[in-house]
Amino acid sequence: MNWGETAADLLVRVRRERPLIHHLTNLVVMNVTANATLAVGAAPVMAHAAEEVAEMARAARAVVLNIGTLDERWVDSMLRAGRAANDAGVPVVLDPVGAGATELRTRTAERLLRELRVAVLRGNAGEIGVLSGVGGRVQGVDSAGAAAGGAALARAAAQRLGVVAAVTGEVDHVSDGRRVAAVRNGHRLLTAVTGTGCMATAVVAAFVAVGSDPLVAAACALAYYGYAAEVAAARAAGPGSFQVSLFDALYGLTPAELAAGVRIDWVEGG
Ligand code: ATP
Ligand code: TZP
Ligand code: MG
Ligand code: MG
């Protein structure tokens, strides 16, 4: 597989088709994930009211469920949006922010995974470690480690939860339970800005909306995002200017530049 060409093709499709992405997300990242979605070339809408989420989910090409600042009403809305998306064949992308840090977060992520068909689960190693049963630790919204490496973790999560699992970190691993891809793009400045995991999830949703293979789409999205971060870091003085430059790089990268910058390889299968 030519990963560079595949990623470039998916980026062209996002920009041409401008898929609507319905986000039910957290208060910290509401603005930056909408802007990341726009910078990629897709169209964001944030909608949380129980009265409208099913209708909005049906109109979208992907739905993002992010439990970062959850409460009872938002969880009810996420279940309604997820059911409507499942019925309409719209892919659901779940970001289980802080699962493992509190019982509410763990229980809620488990419930969403049990009651909905989730296409892609994108989280850090601690979150995926907890949800997969492999073992992990989470402090607040940050990973504090997992009982297995990223490749084994992604594969186990995919097999046990019936999803494509994307475990991010210095290297990202994406698996459907059989194949595992490693994504080696990224920059450590991503760890110095809040919401960069949530933004990664938003970019994954935009690629999954136009792609036919969720594993391939998620890996290409993470490579694109990571490469944009590399470009942004070269122009930045620190976390503040890095965040601004990240939007510029996501927006400005050409398909040819992306094709040349992608660093993905199969660890298993493929
Ligand atoms: P955490 O709260 O533990 O940081 P998160 O939800 O913010 O988790 P990350 O695992 O940090 O998610 O992933 C967000 C993005 O940052 C991904 O694109 C990932 O590849 C990238 N990333 C994370 N850590 C590093 C690192 N040390 N070096 C390069 N890129 C990184
Ligand atoms: N608190 C609740 S949600 C949130 C914080 C700090 C943002 C987490 O974003 P990310 O992308 O997991 O760093
Ligand atoms: Mg992070
Ligand atoms: Mg996160």
Side-chain angles (χ1 to χ4, degrees):
M1 154 161 249
N2 185 325
W3 283 106
E5 266 178 31
T6 305
D9 283 350
L10 287 166
L11 178 60
V12 168
R13 286 194 62 179
V14 172
R15 289 177 177 168
R16 189 190 299 140
E17 296 176 26
R18 203 165 176 268
L20 178 66
I21 313 298
H22 176 196
H23 301 253
L24 292 92
T25 193
N26 72 68
L27 295 164
V28 181
V29 305
M30 201 77 74
N31 176 279
V32 288
T33 52
N35 275 319
T37 305
L38 280 171
V40 171
V45 61
M46 279 45 190
H48 294 84
E51 295 79 3
E52 71 166 350
V53 287
E55 191 182 354
M56 192 67 84
R58 281 193 294 271
R61 300 269 304 271
V63 172
V64 173
L65 304 179
N66 176 313
I67 66 165
T69 52
L70 78 179
D71 69 17
E72 200 181 327
R73 290 197 316 167
W74 277 12
V75 173
D76 174 56
S77 290
M78 286 183 195
L79 288 163
R80 287 171 190 253
R83 284 185 207 115
N86 283 173
D87 289 346
V90 174
V92 172
V93 177
L94 174 63
D95 190 327
V97 180
T102 66
E103 244 179 67
L104 176 67
R105 284 167 193 268
T106 308
R107 268 195 288 112
T108 300
E110 287 172 347
R111 181 168 181 207
L112 293 170
L113 285 162
R114 192 170 56 245
E115 296 191 19
L116 302 174
R117 205 162 56 249
V118 170
V120 180
L121 172 67
R122 200 298 307 169
N124 61 43
E127 291 159 350
I128 307 284
V130 168
L131 295 173
S132 64
V134 169
R137 285 187 306 125
V138 177
Q139 187 170 48
V141 296
D142 294 328
S143 174
L153 206 50
R155 190 180 51 241
Q159 286 172 354
R160 293 181 196 179
L161 301 169
V163 297
V164 164
V167 181
T168 54
E170 188 172 351
V171 175
D172 307 322
H173 291 92
V174 188
S175 177
D176 61 2
R178 183 179 67 79
R179 302 168 293 169
V180 184
V183 182
R184 301 179 196 280
N185 295 99
H187 193 278
R188 69 189 143 65
L189 272 173
L190 285 167
T191 66
V193 178
T194 193
T196 55
C198 302
M199 285 166 65
T201 302
V203 176
V204 165
F207 274 52
V208 167
V210 301
S212 53
D213 182 336
L215 181 158
V216 170
C220 289
L222 290 170
Y224 162 58
Y225 182 70
Y227 184 55
E230 293 167 26
V231 171
R235 301 173 185 157
S241 47
F242 171 71
Q243 191 192 44
V244 173
S245 293
L246 182 55
F247 291 121
D248 293 345
L250 287 168
Y251 181 83
L253 269 186
T254 65
E257 286 167 338
L258 177 61
V262 161
R263 292 199 304 279
I264 309 177
D265 51 85
W266 289 114
V267 177
E268 273 171 50

